[in-house]
């Protein structure tokens, strides 16, 4: 596993000589790198593993109690999922006492309203409360964890519906061929009634677009791609009203590339990809083989040479081409070449050469891992948070 940032905390995981610890966002060591595994569970709890021994520590690294676990998840409402050696899962309370015996095959992240998705001992995915009692036994399949209080389910009639974990009741009856979403940038569930009958439900489970559209893509920024009977693509708002006329071509795939992001969406015309704004105006003329999301005023496009970035007018910010280019975040675009991973700044400068094993940016923190597995963390202004003593190059001057 990469020595990655603990994304839900302000602390960063560090590895030194194969052992893990934490530094905070100032670079101060908060837990020395003495452990085989660490995870921050909250402001005052850390789970650490020393060999096969599980340790629950407080926020200053002092031992609270030992726990027979290889992994412990963050506590929710006084319950935390844990995994024993061998892969069986159960729940403990905040004192480490087992309250649900480890007979489960898996527990997913994403507790909501006292409900969590698990895989029981028979391999069936279901919903249970924090005492391990199943809350919706009528569901035959639960394909994902609850999101914003709702979860899709397949019923005995082989149709799909939506269940509210908050209300503990079905809010969309199981009458759909499939249910998708919501997209990570959206809040609407996409409902497929039949081959050419698509609609949407909001975050409460209310039907906001009746399932009458020939097709409907994810709804992001109050826009969702749809097709008419002839196959031309237009866009509706979150109430189903047509706001961009059907004038674009169907693309090879209809996924993230058909979602609005940063006020832009990729569309196809005359076999080439361009970008429109929310009013449907072409702001980047179609000239690309493919196109992906915009972020921070920079879009990912593809030509015969590979991936690159353009500004909001469609002008490339760099002449370099990459095997993969990720959406900009924190002023950085992470790229991948044959030689490894790197990063591009908004002005197109290659600030992290594409020779590294791992590069990631989140919440203003850039992590870079060299081929030997040594890590360095940098702030958005280019200053160093923490750098392994053997990290081969100080990148901070280039980032500024």
């Amino acid at each position: 596993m990469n020595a990655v940032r603990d994304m839900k905390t302000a602390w960063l995981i560090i590895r030194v000589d194969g052992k893990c610890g934490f530094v905070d966002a100032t670079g101060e060591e908060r837990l020395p790198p003495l452990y085989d595994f660490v995870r921050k569970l909250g402001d005052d709890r850390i789970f650490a593993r020393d060999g096969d021994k599980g340790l629950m520590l407080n926020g200053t690294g002092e031992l609270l109690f030992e726990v027979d676990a290889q992994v412990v998840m963050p506590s929710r409402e006084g319950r935390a999922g844990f995994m024993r050696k061998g892969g069986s899962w159960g729940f403990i309370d905040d004192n480490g006492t087992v309250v649900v015996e480890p007979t489960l095959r898996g527990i997913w992240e994403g507790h909501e309203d006292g409900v969590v998705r698990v895989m029981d001992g028979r391999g069936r995915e279901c919903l249970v409360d924090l005492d391990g009692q199943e809350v919706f036994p009528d569901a035959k399949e639960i394909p994902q964890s609850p999101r914003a209080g709702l979860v899709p389910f397949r019923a005995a009639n082989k149709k799909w519906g939506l269940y509210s974990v908050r209300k503990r009741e079905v809010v969309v009856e199981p009458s759909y061929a499939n249910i998708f979403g919501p997209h990570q940038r959206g809040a609407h569930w996409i409902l497929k009634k039949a081959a050419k009958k698509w609609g949407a439900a909001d975050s409460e489970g209310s039907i906001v677009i009746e399932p009458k559209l020939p097709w409907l893509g994810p709804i992001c920024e109050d826009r969702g791609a749809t097709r008419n009977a002839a196959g031309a693509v237009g866009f509706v708002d979150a109430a189903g009203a047509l706001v961009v006329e059907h004038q674009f071509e169907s693309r090879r795939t209809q996924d993230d590339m058909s979602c609005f992001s940063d006020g832009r969406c990729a569309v196809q015309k005359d076999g080439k990809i361009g970008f429109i704004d929310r009013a449907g105006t072409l702001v980047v003329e179609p000239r690309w083989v493919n196109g992906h999301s915009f972020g921070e005023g920079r879009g990912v496009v593809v030509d015969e040479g590979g991936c690159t970035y353009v500004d909001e007018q469609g002008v490339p910010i760099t002449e370099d081409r990459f095997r993969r280019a990720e959406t900009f975040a924190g002023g950085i675009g992470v790229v991948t070449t044959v030689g490894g991973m790197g990063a591009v700044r908004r002005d197109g400068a290659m600030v992290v050469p594409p020779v590294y094993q791992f590069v990631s940016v989140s919440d203003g923190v850039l992590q870079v891992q060299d081929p030997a597995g040594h890590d360095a963390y940098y702030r958005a202004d280019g200053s160093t948070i923490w750098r392994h003593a053997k990290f081969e190059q100080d990148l901070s001057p280039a980032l500024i």
Side-chain angles (χ1 to χ4, degrees), residues 88-104:
S88 59
W89 290 79
F91 287 94
I92 57 174
D93 64 18
D94 288 340
N95 297 313
T97 302
V98 174
V99 292
V100 176
E101 290 296 326
T103 60
L104 302 171

Side-chain angles (χ1 to χ4, degrees), residues 148-161:
L150 298 181
V151 63
F153 70 94
R154 184 174 60 84
N157 65 358
K158 298 184 180 180
K159 299 292 186 179
W160 291 86

Side-chain angles (χ1 to χ4, degrees), residues 5-336:
R5 186 177 182 214
D6 189 334
M7 303 300 291
K8 297 181 180 179
T9 74
W11 289 11
L12 309 170
I13 299 174
I14 59 174
R15 281 182 178 269
V16 178
D17 298 328
K19 297 294 184 178
C20 301
F22 283 111
V23 296
D24 62 23
T26 71
E28 179 182 352
E29 184 179 277
R30 303 302 296 267
L31 185 70
L34 302 174
Y35 304 95
D36 297 304
F37 176 86
V38 294
R39 183 173 186 182
K40 193 163 185 284
L41 305 179
D43 292 338
D44 60 351
R45 287 289 172 101
I46 301 168
F47 173 74
R49 194 176 68 241
D50 184 8
D52 288 336
K53 184 185 296 184
L55 309 171
M56 195 66 73
L57 314 175
N58 65 16
T60 61
E62 298 174 331
L63 179 66
L64 296 174
F65 52 83
E66 294 187 12
V67 55
D68 183 12
Q70 297 294 293
V71 175
V72 175
M73 302 168 74
S75 177
R76 297 288 187 273
E77 301 175 50
R79 297 289 187 270
F82 75 99
M83 186 188 77
R84 286 264 173 88
K85 189 175 183 179
S88 59
W89 290 79
F91 287 94
I92 57 174
D93 64 18
D94 288 340
N95 297 313
T97 302
V98 174
V99 292
V100 176
E101 290 296 326
T103 60
L104 302 171
R105 293 190 186 182
I107 299 175
W108 277 269
E109 299 273 9
H111 298 200
E112 288 194 16
D113 298 288
V115 174
V116 62
R117 175 178 168 234
V118 304
M119 180 180 288
D120 67 18
R122 298 172 295 169
R124 175 172 165 265
E125 297 173 9
C126 55
L127 299 175
V128 300
D129 63 23
L130 298 182
D131 291 319
Q133 300 300 309
E134 189 168 359
V135 299
F136 186 34
D138 290 341
K140 300 303 179 183
E141 183 178 351
I142 302 289
Q144 65 183 71
S145 296
R147 179 168 174 184
L150 298 181
V151 63
F153 70 94
R154 184 174 60 84
N157 65 358
K158 298 184 180 180
K159 299 292 186 179
W160 291 86
L162 285 174
Y163 178 80
S164 170
V165 298
R166 187 175 300 121
K167 298 177 181 178
R168 297 290 203 276
E169 64 182 32
V170 173
V171 292
V172 173
E173 291 297 325
S175 60
Y176 292 90
N178 216 330
I179 296 180
F180 306 91
H183 191 274
Q184 60 183 355
R185 295 192 300 272
H188 288 76
W189 298 84
I190 304 302
L191 313 174
K192 179 183 179 182
K193 190 83 170 181
K196 293 186 178 182
K197 292 185 178 181
W198 295 66
D202 65 15
S203 59
E204 296 296 322
S206 299
I207 306 299
V208 292
I209 300 178
E210 291 294 329
K212 298 178 180 179
L213 297 173
W215 176 81
L216 179 63
I219 297 174
C220 305
E221 299 184 5
D222 194 37
R223 295 291 185 270
T226 186
R227 290 195 292 261
N228 63 14
V233 174
F235 290 82
V236 296
D237 64 16
L242 186 67
V243 291
V244 177
E245 293 293 331
H246 297 93
Q247 56 187 293
F248 304 108
E249 299 164 358
S250 294
R251 302 186 59 185
R252 291 185 296 274
T253 59
Q254 299 287 351
D255 50 22
D256 180 65
M257 296 178 289
S258 292
C259 279
F260 269 86
S261 174
D262 205 24
R264 299 287 186 268
C265 183
V267 294
Q268 181 170 305
K269 202 164 190 176
D270 298 326
K272 296 294 184 179
I273 302 300
F275 289 85
I276 60 171
D277 62 17
R278 295 179 70 253
T281 303
L282 274 168
V283 291
V284 176
E285 288 297 321
R287 54 169 287 201
W288 304 97
V289 173
N290 214 334
H292 304 272
S293 298
F294 256 79
E296 300 182 359
R298 299 293 181 263
V300 179
V301 295
V302 183
D303 62 14
E304 290 77 5
C307 300
T308 192
Y309 292 103
V310 295
D311 64 19
E312 291 177 305
Q313 287 71 48
V315 178
I317 65 170
T318 176
E319 295 182 358
D320 293 320
R321 296 295 185 267
F322 314 102
R323 296 181 68 177
R324 177 181 171 83
E326 299 179 15
T327 304
F328 260 74
I332 293 291
V334 175
V335 298
T336 302

